[in-house]
Amino acid sequence: MAATAPLCDFGWKAVDARLPGVDGRTSSILDHAGPRGLVVAFICNHCPYVKAVIARIVRDARDLAGAGIGFVAINSNDALTYPEDSFENMQRFSADYALPFPYLYDEDQTVARAYGAVCTPDFFGFNAAGELQYRGRLDASRKEVADQGLRRDLHEAMLEVARTGRGPAEQQASIGCSIKWKFPA
């Protein structure tokens, strides 16, 4: 289990890259931004934390789209060591969970390194100017079943970003499985 640093580097600019998606097309990360912002989520197929919250990630991505926030997910795990995270399995995962957002493959891990991603899931929320405003968790559930009425941290933070351009001052770190890095790096 890994946790991201609970520090949001407010104003850090989103890094763009062109990556292959499960839809068979290569696309730019920033092309998926909405008029009010973008969430870049690092996920994978095998992580029990991701599997436990994927339905809520899908729900929040759909809800945020209505507020003008785009959403894109990236898998950066080493598929040689973790074959469940292969591109073909990403395609199955996307279909199985009806992902309403692009699911991109960072095979050489340069995007994860550029973002400083450390775990799955790991969420980066940007405002309309492409400035980081949220680096935190989806919610407090970790990999347990979410209690009814559980605060939707990512969702609430990104609604604030959509309204004001700024994220909340207090943010809770995301917790999940560590990114499966290729070695040597």
Side-chain angles (χ1 to χ4, degrees):
M1 176 174 72
T4 62
L7 173 68
C8 179
D9 187 8
F10 287 100
W12 178 80
K13 294 295 261 183
V15 175
D16 200 9
R18 292 186 55 76
L19 297 171
V22 297
D23 62 359
R25 295 185 290 220
T26 297
S27 66
S28 160
I29 295 167
L30 298 184
D31 282 350
H32 300 292
R36 295 205 165 114
L38 173 68
V39 173
V40 177
F42 287 85
I43 67 171
C44 69
N45 311 326
H46 89 274
C47 172
Y49 289 87
V50 172
K51 287 179 176 180
V53 299
I54 192 64
R56 294 195 306 278
I57 292 172
V58 166
R59 174 203 62 198
D60 286 357
R62 284 193 171 119
D63 289 354
L64 290 170
I69 301 290
F71 201 102
V72 63
I74 299 171
N75 176 7
S76 299
N77 276 359
D78 178 2
L80 291 177
T81 306
Y82 293 85
E84 193 175 340
D85 288 331
S86 71
F87 187 75
E88 294 75 22
N89 285 324
M90 287 174 60
Q91 291 171 315
R92 274 196 273 305
F93 185 87
S94 180
D96 288 349
Y97 292 101
L99 301 185
F101 45 79
Y103 190 18
L104 308 178
Y105 189 37
D106 177 27
E107 184 175 12
D108 67 7
Q109 302 181 318
T110 57
V111 174
R113 290 185 193 287
Y115 275 76
V118 296
C119 67
T120 57
D122 201 353
F123 300 98
F124 296 78
F126 299 91
N127 63 17
E131 301 164 335
L132 186 66
Q133 297 298 315
Y134 186 74
R135 172 84 189 277
R137 66 187 183 186
L138 179 73
D139 58 35
S141 68
R142 297 186 182 192
K143 61 181 180 178
E144 293 80 29
V145 174
D147 293 331
Q148 191 74 346
L150 184 67
R151 177 176 163 74
R152 297 163 64 184
D153 294 338
L154 172 68
H155 181 261
E156 295 301 319
M158 293 310 295
L159 288 179
E160 185 174 328
V161 169
R163 283 191 308 274
T164 69
R166 298 276 310 157
E170 296 207 17
Q171 301 178 10
Q172 298 294 317
S174 187
I175 294 176
C177 295
S178 63
I179 299 278
K180 307 310 180 204
W181 299 108
K182 296 177 180 184
F183 293 100

